[in-house]
Amino acid sequence: MSGMIFDIQRFAIHDGPGIRTNVFLKGCPLRCWWCQNPEGISPKPQIMYFEYKCLHCHLCVDVCPLQAIRIDKGDVHIIDRELCDACGKCSDNCPSNALKLVGREYSVEEVMEEIRKDVTFFDSSGGGVTFTGGEPFFQPLFLKGLLEACKAEGIHTVVETSGFVSREILRKLMQYIDLFYHDIKLFDDESSSLYTGVPSKPILDNMRFLSESKRNMVIRFPVIPTITDTEENIRGIAGFLSTLRVEEIHLLPFHDVAEKYARLGMPYKMRVHEAPSRERLKEIKEVFEGIGLKVVLYG
């Protein structure tokens, strides 16, 4: 059993209780305009180019077997993303790590070897493993293998999800998940389809299903100026959450990540580049507190 991972972060403290190891699975069915991890959208490996690290030695051009890298006027590196197959030879030979291969195949056991390094910290802090992404449910068989392995070793599991997943997969895997970190972005179907690429109804239905199944769930709400922070959207979400078995919501203020998209050669649709004001965050916090939720505000 194997799957595509684009990062493993140790000693994380914001993605579940205690000290955690975060495992980032690659691939996502959503196309959120503001996605903070665009390297997790595609299910395939990709090359990231960090221009500020580049020594302009041109070794990458020499070693690329497909001639997918060329040097333009002004010594600018151009990567032909259609031609590049992310073999990794350019990143392997880059002396300054200006080129980075994002995403590689891991077996369940290889991931578990990394996780086991932190078991002592899990035990002392009440921590565990958080599977995030991308969308972890995008690789359901691999995720199931990882969750089963963690449960067999008594490791606490969190899955951070958009909720856009088939009910069949959710029903099969939820028994292995101790805590869901469940995103909610847009209440209205039309707005959700525009800004995330998928309708909101299947996501809301899955949230209700998890609530009725008495699964532990923390809600995560990205505060995106002019998109998710409208009065209509916030009131709609608050009204919906008031009907569920949830006690806590995390507010995640927007941060501009245009540079990440540029490094991946991906288009960035966001027109707003400023974070929400402290005043607006306070107003939103008060709305959710008004329905009895504990509100955690991230910076």
Side-chain angles (χ1 to χ4, degrees):
M1 183 68 67
S2 64
M4 186 64 61
I5 299 289
F6 71 90
D7 200 6
I8 298 177
Q9 295 179 356
R10 301 173 64 193
F11 307 111
I13 57 172
H14 296 302
D15 297 288
I19 297 172
R20 311 193 69 79
T21 297
N22 289 349
V23 179
F24 293 78
L25 280 71
K26 216 169 184 309
C28 183
L30 276 66
R31 295 295 182 268
C32 302
W33 288 21
W34 57 85
C35 180
Q36 301 292 285
N37 291 325
E39 66 270 44
I41 296 174
S42 170
K44 299 178 181 179
Q46 295 167 284
I47 292 292
M48 290 185 79
Y49 173 54
F50 298 80
E51 193 277 334
Y52 71 94
K53 293 183 179 181
C54 185
L55 300 177
H56 302 280
C57 64
H58 303 172
L59 272 174
C60 54
V61 178
D62 297 336
V63 300
C64 179
L66 298 177
Q67 297 182 324
I69 304 177
R70 61 186 175 86
I71 308 300
D72 205 349
K73 294 179 181 178
D75 209 19
V76 176
H77 287 54
I78 306 295
I79 301 174
D80 187 331
R81 300 287 176 172
E82 294 296 322
L83 190 58
C84 175
D85 65 355
C87 68
K89 289 185 178 178
C90 60
S91 57
D92 288 344
N93 287 275
C94 180
S96 62
N97 296 317
L99 291 161
K100 178 183 177 183
L101 180 64
V102 181
R104 81 168 180 87
E105 200 83 11
Y106 279 79
S107 68
V108 169
E109 180 55 30
E110 284 177 316
V111 178
M112 291 305 298
E113 285 178 8
E114 292 299 312
I115 291 170
R116 291 187 191 108
K117 295 176 182 177
D118 293 335
V119 167
T120 301
F121 301 104
F122 302 160
D123 293 343
S124 62
S125 69
V129 180
T130 297
F131 296 104
T132 181
E135 169 54 66
F137 286 112
F138 193 81
Q139 300 184 61
L141 294 179
F142 184 46
L143 178 61
K144 184 174 184 286
L146 292 168
L147 290 167
E148 287 178 330
C150 287
K151 288 292 97 183
E153 299 187 25
I155 297 173
H156 183 274
T157 57
V158 171
V159 170
E160 188 173 354
T161 179
S162 68
F164 194 77
V165 55
S166 77
R167 183 64 55 82
E168 179 184 5
I169 290 173
L170 194 58
R171 188 175 277 118
K172 285 181 179 178
L173 270 62
M174 68 183 189
Q175 62 183 304
Y176 305 107
I177 300 169
D178 294 308
L179 175 62
F180 285 86
Y181 266 28
H182 201 301
D183 289 357
I184 186 167
K185 301 175 177 75
L186 290 153
F187 186 71
D188 174 69
D189 249 2
E190 186 177 348
S191 296
S192 181
S193 295
L194 173 62
Y195 292 112
T196 74
V198 302
S200 60
K201 187 178 185 304
I203 295 169
L204 302 179
D205 288 346
N206 278 337
M207 292 180 73
R208 187 171 297 283
F209 168 70
L210 290 172
S211 175
E212 292 173 350
S213 300
K214 295 181 170 55
R215 297 291 156 176
N216 296 321
M217 184 166 48
V218 170
I219 306 303
R220 305 198 106 187
F221 176 60
V223 183
I224 315 300
T226 75
I227 298 178
T228 69
D229 74 341
T230 66
E231 285 297 325
E232 182 181 10
N233 189 53
I234 291 165
R235 296 292 174 183
I237 288 174
F240 174 71
L241 293 180
S242 69
T243 68
L244 302 186
R245 179 183 167 273
V246 294
E247 299 178 355
E248 186 172 329
I249 185 169
H250 296 174
L251 304 186
L252 311 175
F254 167 74
H255 294 285
D256 187 61
V257 290
E259 283 190 2
K260 260 192 178 185
Y261 283 79
R263 289 167 185 164
L264 289 160
M266 295 172 61
Y268 189 52
K269 292 184 176 181
M270 283 298 293
R271 303 183 189 97
V272 176
H273 301 282
E274 295 78 28
S277 68
R278 300 303 297 182
E279 292 76 15
R280 186 59 183 140
L281 290 169
K282 182 181 177 182
E283 292 169 354
I284 296 170
K285 181 174 182 286
E286 289 172 353
V287 171
F288 289 120
E289 286 176 337
I291 61 169
L293 292 180
K294 175 186 175 182
V295 180
V296 177
L297 175 58
Y298 285 85

